[in-house]
Each structure stands twice: as C-alpha cells, then as structure tokens.
Amino acid sequence: MAKVAIMGFGTVGSGVYDIIKTNREKLYRNTNGEMVDIKYILDIRDFDDHPEKELFTKDFNDILNDSEVTVVAEVMGGLHPAYEFTKSLLESGKSVVTSNKELVATYGTELLDIAREKNVNYLFEASVGGGIPIIRPMHQCLTANNIKSIAGILNGTTNYILNEMIKKGKTFDDALKDAQNNGYAERNPAADIEGHDACRKIAILSSLASGYAVDYNDIETEGITNITLDDVKYASAMNSVIKLIGYAKLFDDGKIYSIVSPMLVKNSSPLAGVDGVFNAILVTGDCVGDVMFYGAGAGKLPTASAVVADIVDAVKHFERSKKIMWVKPENNIMASSEDKSFAYFVRTTASADDVAKVFGKCEFVDNVVAGESAFVTAEMTGSEAKEKFSKLDIVSGIRILD
Amino acid sequence: MAKVAIMGFGTVGSGVYDIIKTNREKLYRNTNGEMVDIKYILDIRDFDDHPEKELFTKDFNDILNDSEVTVVAEVMGGLHPAYEFTKSLLESGKSVVTSNKELVATYGTELLDIAREKNVNYLFEASVGGGIPIIRPMHQCLTANNIKSIAGILNGTTNYILNEMIKKGKTFDDALKDAQNNGYAERNPAADIEGHDACRKIAILSSLASGYAVDYNDIETEGITNITLDDVKYASAMNSVIKLIGYAKLFDDGKIYSIVSPMLVKNSSPLAGVDGVFNAILVTGDCVGDVMFYGAGAGKLPTASAVVADIVDAVKHFERSKKIMWVKPENNIMASSEDKSFAYFVRTTASADDVAKVFGKCEFVDNVVAGESAFVTAEMTGSEAKEKFSKLDIVSGIRILD
C-alpha cells in the first residue's frame, strides 16, 4: 500500500484525486500490486462538503512528518511555498511529482540534486505538454540519440488564438477575447501571449535534451502580440502558418541555443496541422530523425493523467533514484543568436530597389496588402537581422522555422 | 560494464552496433555509468572484413553459455530460430530486446511469461512504429488511463504508396513500383500491401492496451490492393485521405475489437497529414484524450535507436522485471464486427432510388466518376454492411474512421 499526498486541490489536484479514485484497478495492476492510496490533501481552502473531507489538511507538517507517505504530488503551482515544501519533502526522503513548470524551470536543478542525493525521485512529466508523454520518452526512449533540435507548440492559449486568426480570419484582439470567454486564456493573459509560459517549457526541454541546466532567463522570448491578421494571410499565401514556437538547437560542441518566437511553419511540417489548444513537440535525434508528440497541452484530466503516471513511477521506483535528468554546467553552455541563423519573412513599405540594397537578392511573395512588398530573406544571424531591419521601414519580420 | 550480444547483423543489427559505438558517451551517462559493450554478434554470414571481426560468431551457444552477457538484442527477424533462441536466453536469465514484431505478435505472451518468471525483461519498443516511442509511453506515461481506442498508420510502405496516389495522382501499380524502386517495398510486397505487417503491430498494441493477449489471427485484415485512384479522388473531394489504419476499440466490458483496413480519414485528423513512409499512432485515453506519436516507422538507425533504448532499460533494470505487459485471457476477449459499427463511403452504379431503398437516406457526394454515384452511409455493423452491399452493384465501400 503506497500512501500519497496531494498538495493543492485546484484543477489539476482534483483531477489527480479523481483519477486515483476512478482508475483504482488499473493503477493497482500497473504498480504491480501496490494500492495507491491518498492519505492527505493539502489546501488552504475549506472543503467541508467533500465526501472525503477527512483527507484535507491545512498543515504541511502533517504530510512532511508522516513517514507512511512516500510520494507527494505538488500541483499547487507558483514558486512559493511550492519550492520550500518540495525541498523539505525530498530532503526527508519522499519522492515528489509535479505539474509546476515554473518551479521546475526555476529550481529544478537544485531539486533534482537533492532527489538524487536522497535516492528518491523528482518527476515532472506534467510540466511540459500537459498530458502528452514527452519528458519520459525523451529521456528514456530517445536515450540512444543525441538530440539535435526541438521545435514545440508548447502553449495552447496562443495556439488557439493563432488558429482562430488562421482558420476564421479573426483579429488578434477578437481571438484573444474569444479565448478568454472560452476559458482558454486568463483575464491577464500576459504569461501566455508574451511567451513566458512557453519559455519555461522550452527551458525544461532544453535542459533535458542537453543534460545541463538551461536558465530560462537566458532564453530570448517574443510573444504573439505583434502578429496581425495580415501576417497570417501572408503566411497562408506562402502555404505556411504562424505558430508560437519554443525552439532549441543543440550544437556538436555541446552548446545550446533556445528561443521562443512566432515562426512561419510550412504546411508540410507535422507541426502546421496542430490546431486549437493542442500542443505538439517535434524532436530531432541523430539516430531517430524526426519524432513528434501530440496531444492536449493542458486541462484537468490530461494534466492529472501525467501526474498520476509519475506517481505510479515513483511508487515503483521508491528509494531507487535512477534518473540523472540534468546537472548544473561548469561553463556557459548557451549559444547566442549569432550562432543560429534564421531566414525571415519580411513585410516592408520600402521599394524593391531599397530591399535589394539591404538584403541582396530576395524571393518576393505575392502581395496581400496594398502599398507594401513582402519577401523571404537568406538566413541571417540575430545581429545581421537587427542591422538590416533598422535600415528599412519594416512592417513585420518573422522567423521561418527550418 | 554491461556485456550485450546482437543476434542478426542485417540492417537493424548493424544500426544497433553503430549507435552503441558512436553514442558511447551518451549511453554511459544514461545507464548511470555502465559501459554498454558488445561482446558477440551472431550471424550465419561471414564478416571477415569487419573492423571488429572477432566479435562475430555463428554459434548461438557462445552467447547462451556466457554468463557475462546479460542483455541480448534479437534483431534477426522471422519466427525460427528467433523464438527458440529468445526462449533459451530468457530461461537462462538474460534479458532480450527485439524489433521482431512477428515474434512478439506470435509468441509474445509466452516469452513475457518466462521473462517475468525469471525476473528478467523482454522488451520490444522497436517492434511497432520503428523509432517512434510508443510501447513505453503507452505502458508507462498513459498508465493512469483506460485506453479507449487506437488508430495507427503502422506501415510505411503502404502509406508511401497511398501518399503517392494522393499527392501525385499515381495509380496504385505505379506507386507500388515506385516504392519498390526506392527500397520502400519488397519485391514481394504482400506482407505490406495486404496489411499483414500492420496486423501484427495492431495486435501488439491491442494486447498492450487491454492487458490481455490479442491473437493476430483474430484480427480482420484488409490491405490496400483494391484502392484505386478514383477512390483517392473521391476522398479528396470529401476533404479526406485514404490511409491504411490499424484500429482497436476497447469496450467498457473488457472486450476489444481490432481491424486492419483502408479507411477514410478526415483532413482535420492529425493522422491525415502523416506523409510518405512516416508512421503515426493516435491513442485515446479516458483521461488524456487524444495523444499522437509520430515518426519514422522503419529504417536502420530509427529502429536501432529504439532497440538501444531497450538495451539501456534492460541494463538499468537487470534482474528486476517489473513489466506486466499482458497475460493470456481466461475467456474470449475479442469483440466482433457486430460490436463496432462504421460509416462507409460507397461508390455504386445503382440509381439513387435503389440506394435509398437499401441504405435509407444517405448523404451523396459530388460525382468524380461518370456513370456512378457516391454516398456516405449511416454507421453499420459488419453483417449489415455485408448484407446491404450484396444488394447493389458496389464499386467500392470504404470504412470511415470516426
């Protein structure tokens, strides 16, 4: 009998509770005969009407000091007190599983260190891509590969907004309002539309792929607030779509370049067809080539499904931490935008002559908006792009995913 | 130091060799510090020019009787002697990993039983979807889910052929010749185009999803040899594509229905965009909803990538068999075509009146071929479809994936 605790009884926490109760039989089989039993639910709110109200506690120490509890699901979100709680639990020899991408991206390296030292597990399948299996497949199934690159649609809110623009011709503002009305975007949507959420997630995937901690503060992050319906129309004319991409490229010398940015994705890419709030992560390995993982990137039961899978894994591997996800690098491993060139799609009001003077020979695109021209550049580094863009009146310049 | 043996030095076997040699560092890190070392390569052919020719043996007993060898990769293919070798190895306490779908589909249940009894592992990530992580993600990451259905593009050869018909307007015969010339199809292509290869794979996935052995002999299997360019054109007019689908539906009462058949797939499905020799498996779980796994379904390094991941897993979990993949069912668990209804796309030379008499009110499709009409039926069981089809002159009747 494995006793577990759930910290945070919000959307994901109640989903974890529901799955453990509903799919009891299945979990019993999959832990090879250990019953997974919820002993505590930590939440500062009252749940007096809950059928198992006796499980609820407001005192973290109830969980920390109960030696029967071996696995804890931290699904409270935010950095504090989630960090302090997780640290104490790992130090006391309990495994912790989480959906908290912010915590993993911020304190993951330290918490993984502690888990390894204490021979327990810190697992976070649900922190990226919601219910999509991605952390474990990348770590275990692609273990024979040197990962070369990752390109992910990692945020369902922005994908929904862009999809409404692409498929229904809505403006950004209308699509955002629509997302808010449908519960896909927060009232304050900044974390999503400015790319911060995707940034945390590509930081986690970059760390996992390289084996070294990638600090999300080192990742250039651009959201979708500047994307207009005209950009989307141009993309469509080019048999492409605009997606917010969390991107990482791993170089042979061990350096890694990560960025979050709207990018033009060709319709022939399996990422192009990822609609609505779905997420997908395209991983390229030196042996396996391209593999893609697709599914619901958020939501109560999908995310809880990943948390419960981690609980099962932690129960099966209790007191046997075998996972070296990543460590702190000794030297700087971050490549810069000077190391990774992109081609750009550019709209400008400048003349074709002026374009040629600055960008050289470019491939022009059929016009969508009167009074401007649009073209595709050669691949340029970050500074080249900046310098050239500053010399012309640029309406927009969007990276093209290669 | 983990000593492994490779049985069969064909395409996959040499890929396994290459990866272990090339990505040595990475494997060392991922086994948490065990060097994976090849001690034997079994093949009946001579490899006297090979730089490590001393590794080669023609005598299986060299491997069987060497207690230093703990993990063996069976990548020889075929049923015999792969079955006898695998059985002996497992019985002697060695773990075996394989890409041999035919063996897993035929003798998997018995071999898994022996592995469990001997506390070793029999792993087969590479047997379905080549390099695509699917077996482990379904077993571990979706462990909290009751799987409701699986729909997979499981055979790259047929997907290439259909894709050439769809995208380039080739006839089936021309597309097949093309596949043969490109090395995507065998000179005798029956196993692929008749659906037998996909049948083995959906049998394995069905067993994994249900926890009970599904015999591939119980799976109705229809290939793509009857699909014509006109069918493909009709599909296109219906915003759909024709794909060879390995399909399984799991019912709440524990029964399972499996079939391999060409199906109309709507363009809005993530399966529709899976082009060329790529494979993809769409899994629907009761918690996670739809997730899809996409990648190269065959090929030397992709398949070897999955075999090596299994080797790493077996090395890390030596003498600790924790995997109950599936067991032999006590009763018949197979549902029949009477339990699972499909809608059909039907082409006929009969009049609209006759169609209405047999099929009731149907949705007619814009005509592509003169002298016939085409329509979509209501959902029908297998016997209903058979009975109604026999009453009219039917050009083709193709299931529609729901």
Side-chain angles (χ1 to χ4, degrees):
Chain A
M1 179 83 88
K3 298 282 186 188
V4 307
I6 300 171
M7 303 200 300
F9 202 64
T11 306
V12 180
S14 59
V16 170
Y17 174 90
D18 289 351
I19 293 176
I20 291 179
K21 291 289 164 185
T22 317
N23 288 356
R24 209 170 161 70
E25 278 289 301
K26 172 123 177 104
L27 295 180
Y28 179 72
R29 219 169 64 210
N30 291 345
T31 53
N32 301 326
E34 284 232 49
M35 210 46 111
V36 174
D37 230 55
I38 301 165
K39 188 161 180 184
Y40 300 101
I41 301 171
L42 180 73
D43 203 295
I44 48 169
R45 293 166 294 178
D46 291 314
F47 290 90
D48 292 339
D49 294 339
H50 194 277
E52 293 196 277
K53 62 182 179 200
E54 67 282 4
L55 298 180
F56 286 83
T57 174
K58 293 176 181 177
D59 186 359
F60 168 67
N61 290 309
D62 285 349
I63 297 170
L64 181 66
N65 296 330
D66 190 330
S67 62
E68 243 191 358
V69 174
T70 53
V71 179
V72 180
E74 183 272 295
V75 285
M76 50 205 300
L79 285 182
H80 305 285
Y83 165 66
E84 290 76 13
F85 286 1
T86 301
K87 193 173 168 177
S88 301
L89 290 165
L90 293 170
E91 282 173 341
S92 78
K94 299 181 199 302
S95 287
V96 178
V97 308
T98 187
S99 59
N100 190 335
K101 64 194 163 287
E102 206 185 346
L103 185 62
V104 176
T106 310
Y107 293 109
T109 312
E110 180 193 357
L111 296 171
L112 283 167
D113 262 350
I114 298 171
R116 195 157 53 243
E117 197 181 292
K118 293 292 174 179
N119 214 22
V120 291
N121 287 291
Y122 183 53
L123 305 175
F124 45 88
E125 180 62 69
S127 67
V128 180
I132 306 172
I134 176 66
I135 302 292
R136 195 172 280 103
M138 263 184 70
H139 191 62
Q140 293 186 7
C141 305
L142 303 183
T143 196
N145 289 263
N146 292 302
I147 306 294
K148 310 302 278 180
S149 67
I150 301 168
I153 295 169
L154 301 170
N155 179 272
T157 306
T158 47
N159 203 53
Y160 177 86
I161 292 171
L162 290 169
N163 200 52
E164 292 290 296
M165 294 171 74
I166 295 164
K167 293 279 166 73
K168 298 185 190 159
K170 290 184 188 166
T171 63
F172 174 82
D173 287 337
D174 285 346
L176 170 58
K177 250 175 240 151
D178 209 60
Q180 287 172 317
N181 291 339
N182 282 308
Y184 297 144
E186 311 273 335
R187 210 133 55 106
N188 177 354
D192 291 319
I193 65 176
E194 301 288 358
H196 303 312
D197 174 80
C199 174
R200 304 298 188 277
K201 292 169 177 169
I202 194 67
I204 294 171
L205 295 180
S206 298
S207 303
L208 195 65
S210 67
Y212 293 104
V214 169
D215 187 338
Y216 68 82
N217 291 301
D218 293 340
I219 299 176
E220 185 183 343
T221 300
E222 188 185 325
I224 62 164
T225 50
N226 292 327
I227 301 296
T228 66
L229 196 51
D230 287 334
D231 294 326
V232 166
K233 284 180 189 163
Y234 268 108
S236 177
M238 297 164 69
N239 287 317
S240 300
V241 287
I242 297 175
K243 297 282 185 189
L244 182 65
I245 299 292
Y247 178 87
K249 183 175 173 67
L250 289 93
F251 295 92
D252 287 342
D253 66 1
K255 290 226 170 186
I256 182 165
Y257 172 73
S258 292
I259 186 172
V260 173
S261 164
M263 295 192 194
L264 240 74
V265 178
K266 292 186 189 75
N267 283 344
S268 57
S269 164
L271 287 172
V274 177
D275 288 345
V277 293
F278 279 86
N279 285 15
I281 301 118
L282 185 67
V283 180
T284 307
D286 61 349
C287 303
V288 79
D290 287 349
V291 290
M292 191 177 81
F293 305 89
Y294 164 99
K300 175 175 171 164
L301 289 180
T303 308
S305 154
V307 173
V308 174
D310 276 350
I311 291 176
V312 168
D313 199 7
V315 165
K316 284 166 78 173
H317 289 87
F318 183 61
E319 287 193 336
R320 213 170 60 224
S321 167
K322 296 296 266 186
K323 294 180 207 304
I324 303 177
M325 298 286 202
W326 64 74
V327 296
K328 200 170 174 344
E330 284 174 31
N331 307 305
N332 177 29
I333 56 158
M334 296 307 287
S336 77
S337 62
E338 296 311 290
D339 300 302
K340 167 63 189 150
S341 295
F342 283 99
Y344 287 77
F345 161 71
V346 180
R347 289 168 56 197
T348 179
T349 51
S351 70
D353 277 357
D354 286 344
V355 168
K357 264 179 226 158
V358 175
F359 288 93
K361 200 165 148 33
C362 285
E363 187 192 329
F364 279 82
V365 175
D366 284 349
N367 216 41
V368 171
V369 179
E372 62 176 59
S373 63
F375 58 95
V376 172
T377 72
E379 292 199 351
M380 302 183 290
T381 66
S383 63
E384 276 173 336
K386 205 170 170 183
E387 187 234 320
K388 293 187 185 215
F389 286 1
S390 72
K391 289 187 179 161
L392 288 180
D393 279 329
I394 299 292
V395 181
S396 58
I398 302 173
R399 288 175 185 82
I400 300 177
L401 181 64
D402 46 14
Chain B
M1 181 83 87
K3 298 283 186 190
V4 308
I6 300 172
M7 301 199 302
F9 201 64
T11 307
V12 179
S14 59
V16 170
Y17 175 88
D18 289 351
I19 293 177
I20 290 178
K21 291 290 164 184
T22 317
N23 289 355
R24 210 169 160 70
E25 281 287 302
K26 171 123 179 106
L27 296 179
Y28 180 71
R29 221 169 61 211
N30 290 345
T31 52
N32 300 328
E34 284 232 50
M35 209 47 110
V36 175
D37 232 54
I38 301 165
K39 189 162 180 182
Y40 301 101
I41 301 171
L42 180 73
D43 203 293
I44 47 167
R45 293 166 296 178
D46 292 313
F47 290 90
D48 292 339
D49 294 338
H50 194 276
E52 294 195 278
K53 63 181 177 198
E54 69 280 5
L55 298 181
F56 285 82
T57 175
K58 293 177 183 177
D59 185 357
F60 168 66
N61 289 309
D62 286 348
I63 297 169
L64 180 66
N65 295 330
D66 189 330
S67 62
E68 244 192 355
V69 173
T70 52
V71 179
V72 179
E74 183 273 294
V75 285
M76 50 206 299
L79 284 182
H80 305 286
Y83 165 67
E84 289 77 11
F85 287 1
T86 300
K87 193 172 168 178
S88 300
L89 291 165
L90 293 170
E91 281 174 342
S92 79
K94 300 181 198 301
S95 287
V96 178
V97 308
T98 189
S99 59
N100 189 336
K101 62 192 166 288
E102 205 184 348
L103 186 61
V104 176
T106 310
Y107 293 109
T109 312
E110 181 193 358
L111 296 171
L112 284 167
D113 262 351
I114 299 172
R116 195 157 53 243
E117 197 181 291
K118 293 291 175 179
N119 214 22
V120 291
N121 287 290
Y122 183 52
L123 305 176
F124 45 88
E125 180 63 69
S127 67
V128 180
I132 306 171
I134 176 66
I135 303 291
R136 196 172 280 103
M138 262 184 71
H139 191 63
Q140 293 186 7
C141 305
L142 303 183
T143 196
N145 290 262
N146 291 303
I147 305 294
K148 310 302 279 181
S149 67
I150 301 169
I153 295 169
L154 299 170
N155 180 272
T157 306
T158 46
N159 202 53
Y160 176 87
I161 292 171
L162 290 170
N163 200 52
E164 292 290 296
M165 295 171 74
I166 294 164
K167 294 278 165 74
K168 299 184 188 158
K170 290 183 189 165
T171 63
F172 173 82
D173 287 336
D174 286 346
L176 170 59
K177 253 176 239 149
D178 209 59
Q180 287 171 317
N181 292 339
N182 283 307
Y184 298 144
E186 312 272 336
R187 212 135 53 110
N188 177 353
D192 291 320
I193 64 176
E194 301 288 358
H196 303 312
D197 174 81
C199 173
R200 303 299 188 276
K201 292 169 177 170
I202 195 66
I204 295 172
L205 294 179
S206 297
S207 302
L208 195 65
S210 68
Y212 292 103
V214 170
D215 187 336
Y216 69 81
N217 292 302
D218 294 339
I219 299 177
E220 185 183 341
T221 300
E222 187 185 325
I224 62 165
T225 50
N226 291 327
I227 301 296
T228 65
L229 197 50
D230 286 334
D231 293 327
V232 166
K233 284 179 188 162
Y234 269 109
S236 178
M238 295 164 72
N239 288 317
S240 299
V241 286
I242 297 177
K243 298 282 184 189
L244 182 65
I245 298 293
Y247 178 87
K249 183 176 174 68
L250 290 94
F251 295 91
D252 287 342
D253 65 1
K255 290 227 170 186
I256 181 164
Y257 172 72
S258 292
I259 186 171
V260 173
S261 165
M263 296 193 194
L264 241 74
V265 178
K266 292 188 189 75
N267 284 342
S268 56
S269 164
L271 288 172
V274 177
D275 288 346
V277 292
F278 279 86
N279 284 16
I281 301 118
L282 184 66
V283 181
T284 306
D286 60 349
C287 303
V288 78
D290 286 350
V291 290
M292 190 178 80
F293 305 89
Y294 165 98
K300 174 177 173 161
L301 289 180
T303 308
S305 153
V307 173
V308 175
D310 276 350
I311 292 178
V312 168
D313 199 8
V315 165
K316 285 166 78 173
H317 289 86
F318 183 61
E319 288 192 334
R320 213 169 61 225
S321 167
K322 296 296 265 187
K323 295 181 207 305
I324 303 176
M325 299 285 203
W326 64 72
V327 296
K328 199 169 177 336
E330 284 173 32
N331 307 306
N332 177 28
I333 57 157
M334 295 308 287
S336 77
S337 62
E338 296 310 290
D339 300 302
K340 165 65 189 150
S341 296
F342 284 99
Y344 287 77
F345 162 71
V346 179
R347 290 167 56 196
T348 180
T349 50
S351 69
D353 276 358
D354 285 344
V355 169
K357 264 180 226 157
V358 176
F359 288 93
K361 201 166 146 32
C362 285
E363 186 192 331
F364 279 83
V365 175
D366 284 350
N367 215 40
V368 170
V369 179
E372 60 176 60
S373 63
F375 58 94
V376 172
T377 72
E379 293 199 349
M380 303 184 290
T381 66
S383 63
E384 276 173 336
K386 204 169 170 185
E387 187 234 321
K388 292 187 184 212
F389 285 2
S390 72
K391 290 187 180 160
L392 288 182
D393 278 329
I394 298 292
V395 181
S396 58
I398 303 173
R399 290 175 182 82
I400 299 177
L401 180 65
D402 46 15

